[in-house]
């Protein structure tokens, strides 16, 4: 009896989870393998369209002959690269139509013209004409004729399915793509964005953890940047930072902090002189990182606040009795209590920032030194139209992330052992 | 009383006052008032003097008198003598001073004799300063978005610092940008598409997620632990890696530029979160209820419909709100999959609008307001449910 029950339980469980598992498999796991497959192929954006036979129908009347009508089909192979085999053609006409000069490749049965065009090479074009005789020529509705569209079909190779593999993409990614610069930019963006958002998260959580009037309101306000749509925020910031009529620049100039406006999103380097040390700050990258911190510190804030509120109050009371200062309380009690949350946050934010595409794309489009790996995936795949390269870059992203996670867990495991 | 502590206190508090007044000055400048410098030194010196004197006169004079005395001096020096500013500016200053003086109430000589008084003061003022600064930094872009959408192209170019809204013009003029984006840029259609896609995603995700979450929470089967850990790993998985294969497959299947294509992708990407949140909740429902149902020969399907669903309305609605927000805000996939303006979602439409350099910014901002409002509304209105879910790590981004 029990055996039977557990068997039926298993069966139900599989039935209940199957739809979700299938969908996730198809949309998330399958693409990962597909990515590996594509990254070893030379595929351009234009190759992924399967070659199609196409026809454009033009209806022409013949002067002086009212009862005849000429229909021209502009036939072509949509692909510039591949041939289409066994092209079949079919079109339907009204009952009173009869073809006069039917091509030998075609036949006419039951008001339908059916043709067999055999193979079309790449770039194939042909003007295919049929002249019809109409039994009662009273009314020919051109629109009506055009509305019955010809149907074409044919076989072609799918470039994605053949087995020609090459290492070219990876070679190009590493040797011709300013790879070191790309890695460094991505690393700066990810690392400083992560650290910054966690720091501000700690600050704000510590702040909101105190009692003051309007605290719940403050808590929801702090989460606004995180929940609002990125498109709206990015364009607002772009407007705010605009060098010509942006508010920030106007303010800075107005209060005489700056002499001339600076293009915070469009200038790659800014020379900075502090105490005789001069260095080049990557300005646009810094701005993008600040936006990233602004947008994502709420997540850190929320996690840390939840943890802070769970710290037992008597810990602080005991510290008060011992005469600990606020700083001592923070460093000796609060910080050790939140390290676990911080290490999880660091991992989550590092992974997500590493893959962040929208923010940089909307703010700078990857220009002026803000080209990160995800931006590069887009540029390679869609701007340069090299799908294979784009895939190779995304494989590099996955590998780097796996590497990061491996070392991170190793480090974390070590620290846990030590404690 | 330690003179050192008094000095440190005076410096910290005058820095705080300085930052409050500077933020007020920025806000005032944005209302079109001509102000060209912060007068930092004078404000700092005044604040310092007051904090310092306050220590000695606080026992003799009561709060109101001290506040009025200080406010009058301050307004006279800063508002009239140096800047010659209108009365409403000075009223604001008086309010700031009231806030400041009332905040300094608790720092009497006894407090300053405390061992850690400087650190306490620093902590207190940093908190106050943080609250003011963060509210300003976070709310300002939203405020700017809203105000810009009510302005005209010329007004924006002439004085980018003028953030006042002219309420005297008739409503049609005020909401002109909104009229334009609805009439000439077809935003009604985009809102409809976005709504259909988001609600559709919510609906399909729930249909897929509820049974799966129930199975993971309650039933024993081979691969259960594997499934519940892989949910989290999949959730971490980068969307940018999925883009190219999905693009190629969707192009070949003709799913690009279609709502169904977006629905499939959004559902798949939100499913792990939804399952994760729901199974956590389902586990908290007492098992006895179901055992009674099993004795009554109710099928698993019946259990879910009749027992689990009614009990988990709050969890399901918060998952629904999340999924809605994720789908509504989503940009990457809509950028990749949609290139025909007929099937644009709101986010994609705004991005498309900005691609044309000629598009006036107030239209862009009006669009941004439209796409932001529903999300912020949902968030503020249902905040209680959502915050607990957020900590469960549910909104990816």
């Amino acid at each position: 009896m029990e055996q039977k029950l557990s068997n039926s339980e298993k069966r139900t469980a599989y039935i209940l989870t199957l739809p979700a598992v299938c969908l996730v498999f198809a949309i998330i796991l399958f693409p990962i393998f597909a990515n590996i497959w594509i990254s070893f192929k030379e595929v351009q954006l234009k190759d992924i369209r399967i070659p199609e036979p196409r026809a454009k129908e033009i209806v022409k009347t013949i002067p002086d002959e009212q009862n005849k009508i000429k229909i021209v089909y502009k036939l072509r192979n949509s692909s510039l690269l591949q041939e289409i085999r066994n092209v079949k053609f079919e079109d339907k006409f009204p009952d009173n139509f009869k073809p006069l000069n039917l091509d030998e490749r075609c036949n006419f049965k039951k008001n339908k013209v059916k043709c067999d065009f055999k193979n079309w090479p790449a770039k194939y074009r042909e003007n295919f004409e049929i002249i019809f005789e109409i039994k009662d020529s009273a009314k020919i509705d051109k629109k009506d004729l055009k509305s019955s569209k010809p149907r074409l079909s044919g076989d072609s190779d799918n470039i994605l399915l053949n087995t020609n593999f090459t290492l070219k993409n990876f070679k190009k990614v590493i040797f011709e793509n300013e790879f070191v610069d790309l890695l460094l930019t991505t690393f700066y963006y990810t690392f400083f964005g992560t650290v910054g958002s966690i720091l501000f998260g700690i600050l704000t959580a510590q702040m909101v953890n105190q009692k003051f009037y309007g605290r719940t309101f403050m808590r929801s306000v702090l989460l606004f940047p995180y929940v609002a749509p990125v498109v709206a925020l990015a364009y607002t910031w772009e407007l705010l930072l605009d060098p010509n009529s942006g508010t920030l620049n106007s303010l800075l100039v107005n209060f005489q902090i700056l002499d001339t406006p600076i293009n915070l999103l469009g200038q790659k380097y800014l020379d900075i002189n502090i105490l005789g040390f001069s260095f080049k700050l990557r300005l646009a990258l810094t701005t993008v990182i600040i936006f990233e911190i602004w947008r994502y510190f709420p997540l850190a804030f929320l996690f840390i606040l939840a943890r802070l509120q769970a710290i037992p109050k008597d810990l602080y009371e005991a510290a008060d009795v011992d005469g600990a200062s606020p700083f001592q309380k923070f460093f000796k009690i609060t910080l050790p209590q939140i390290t676990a949350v911080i290490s999880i946050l660091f991992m989550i934010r590092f992974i997500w920032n590493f893959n962040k595409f929208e923010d940089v794309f909307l703010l700078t489009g990857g220009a002026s030194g803000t080209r990160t790996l995800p931006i590069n995936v887009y540029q390679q795949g869609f701007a340069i139209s090299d799908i294979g390269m784009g895939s190779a870059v995304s494989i590099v992203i996955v590998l780097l992330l796996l590497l990061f996670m491996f070392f991170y867990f190793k480090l974390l495991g070590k620290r846990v052992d030590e404690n | 009383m330690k003179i050192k502590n008094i000095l440190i206190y005076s410096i910290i508090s005058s820095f705080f006052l300085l930052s409050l007044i500077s933020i007020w000055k920025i806000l005032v400048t944005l209302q079109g008032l001509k102000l060209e410098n912060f007068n930092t030194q004078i404000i700092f010196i005044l604040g310092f003097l007051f904090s310092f004197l306050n220590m000695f006169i606080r026992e003799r004079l009561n709060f109101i008198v001290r506040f009025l005395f200080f406010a009058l001096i301050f307004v006279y020096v800063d508002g009239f003598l140096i800047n010659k500013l209108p009365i409403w500016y000075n009223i604001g200053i008086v309010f700031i001073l009231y806030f400041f003086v009332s905040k300094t109430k608790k720092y009497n000589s006894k407090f300053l004799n405390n061992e850690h008084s400087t650190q306490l003061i620093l902590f207190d003022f940093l908190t106050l300063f943080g609250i003011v600064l963060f509210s300003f930094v976070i709310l300002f872009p939203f405020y700017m978005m809203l105000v810009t959408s009510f302005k005209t192209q010329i007004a924006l170019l002439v004085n980018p610092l003028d953030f006042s809204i002219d309420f005297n013009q008739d409503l049609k003029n005020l909401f002109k940008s909104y009229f334009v984006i609805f009439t000439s840029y077809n935003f009604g259609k985009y809102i409809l598409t976005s709504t259909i896609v988001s609600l559709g995603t919510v609906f399909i995700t729930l249909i897929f997620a509820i049974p799966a979450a129930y199975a993971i929470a309650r039933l024993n089967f081979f691969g259960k632990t594997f499934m519940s850990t892989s949910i989290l790993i999949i959730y971490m998985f980068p969307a940018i890696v999925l883009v190219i294969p999905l693009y190629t497959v969707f192009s070949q299947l003709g799913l690009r530029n279609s709502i169904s294509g977006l629905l499939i992708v959004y559902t798949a990407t939100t499913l792990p979160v939804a399952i994760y949140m729901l199974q956590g909740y389902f586990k908290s429902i007492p098992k006895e209820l179901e055992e009674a149902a099993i004795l009554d020969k109710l099928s698993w399907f019946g259990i879910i419909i009749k027992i689990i669903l009614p009990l988990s309305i709050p969890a399901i609605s918060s998952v629904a709100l999340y999924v809605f927000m994720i789908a509504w805000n989503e940009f990457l996939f809509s950028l990749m999959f949609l290139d025909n303006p007929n099937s644009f979602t709101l986010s994609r439409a705004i991005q498309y609008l900005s691609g044309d350099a000629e598009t006036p910014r107030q239209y862009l901002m009006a669009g941004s307001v439209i796409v932001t409002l529903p999300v912020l509304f949902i968030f503020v209105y249902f905040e209680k449910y959502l915050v607990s879910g957020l900590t469960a790590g549910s909104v990816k981004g």
Side-chain angles (χ1 to χ4, degrees), chain A residues 331-379:
Chain A
F331 285 107
K332 294 269 157 68
I333 302 174
T334 314
L335 214 51
Q337 290 275 347
I338 57 174
T339 36
V341 187
I342 291 176
S343 64
I344 293 171
L345 270 174
F346 187 84
M347 191 189 73
I348 297 179
R349 281 259 53 97
F350 195 92
I351 294 177
W352 284 345
N353 286 346
F354 199 82
N355 303 305
K356 201 84 246 162
F357 168 78
E358 296 99 315
D359 303 49
V360 184
F361 176 76
L362 289 168
L363 281 175
T364 64
S368 39
T370 56
R371 200 173 59 130
T372 59
L373 278 167
I375 293 282
N376 198 233
V377 172
Y378 178 82
Q379 285 179 338

Side-chain angles (χ1 to χ4, degrees), chain B residues 176-389:
Chain B
K176 192 172 163 258
S177 309
Y178 293 88
F179 281 115
V180 171
I181 60 170
F182 274 104
T183 50
S184 12
Y185 290 99
N186 229 344
F187 260 61
K189 193 178 157 63
Y190 302 142
I191 292 179
L192 191 70
T193 314
S194 260
T195 315
I196 291 172
V197 169
S198 311
L199 290 180
T201 309
V202 170
F203 192 68
I204 304 173
T205 304
L206 285 181
I207 286 180
F208 279 61
I210 291 172
Y214 177 75
I216 290 174
R218 276 294 196 273
L219 305 179
N220 278 314
F221 60 97
F222 176 73
K224 179 178 158 176
T225 34
F226 173 73
M227 208 181 269
S228 52
T229 45
S230 54
I231 287 174
L232 282 177
I233 294 173
I234 289 170
Y235 172 53
M236 298 294 293
F237 221 86
I240 188 79
V241 175
L242 312 179
V243 156
I244 285 181
L246 285 180
Y247 181 89
T248 51
V249 172
F250 276 32
S251 324
Q252 299 203 337
L253 296 178
L255 281 170
R256 269 179 52 227
N257 281 317
S258 75
I259 288 180
S260 47
L262 275 191
L263 277 177
I264 293 171
V265 177
Y266 288 0
T267 308
T269 46
T270 50
L271 254 181
V273 194
I275 293 177
Y276 178 71
M277 282 174 80
L278 284 176
Q279 57 105 16
Y281 189 84
F282 289 166
K283 274 181 186 160
S284 71
I285 297 174
K287 252 187 179 162
E288 289 74 24
L289 291 169
E290 288 154 66
E291 274 158 15
I294 294 172
L295 288 181
D296 287 348
K297 298 255 156 75
L298 212 60
S299 69
W300 299 106
F301 183 70
I303 293 175
I304 294 181
I305 295 276
K306 290 202 176 129
I307 297 173
I308 298 289
L309 277 191
L311 284 173
S312 41
I313 295 281
I316 291 175
S317 29
S318 88
V319 171
L321 288 171
Y322 267 123
V323 173
F324 180 86
M325 274 161 60
I326 296 174
W328 181 273
N329 288 355
E330 210 288 328
F331 173 69
L332 175 62
F333 288 114
S334 62
L335 170 74
M336 299 290 175
F337 293 160
L338 310 177
D339 37 41
N340 177 0
N342 282 324
S343 49
F344 278 175
T345 58
L346 259 181
S347 291
R348 177 73 174 98
I350 293 169
Q351 193 261 340
Y352 183 72
L353 204 67
S354 85
D356 182 1
E358 301 284 301
T359 312
R361 286 116 161 246
Q362 67 271 27
Y363 298 167
L364 212 60
M365 288 299 109
S368 299
V369 170
I370 288 172
V371 72
T372 311
L373 270 186
V375 179
L376 283 195
F377 177 77
I378 288 177
F379 179 70
V380 171
Y381 197 78
F382 298 100
E383 205 227 352
K384 226 191 292 170
Y385 300 106
L386 292 175
V387 166
S388 56

Side-chain angles (χ1 to χ4, degrees), chain B residues 41-54:
Chain B
Q41 300 93 332
I42 290 158
I43 292 164
F44 186 80
I45 291 168
L46 280 177
F48 183 84
L49 282 178
F50 174 74
S51 306
F52 193 74
L53 278 176
N54 198 15

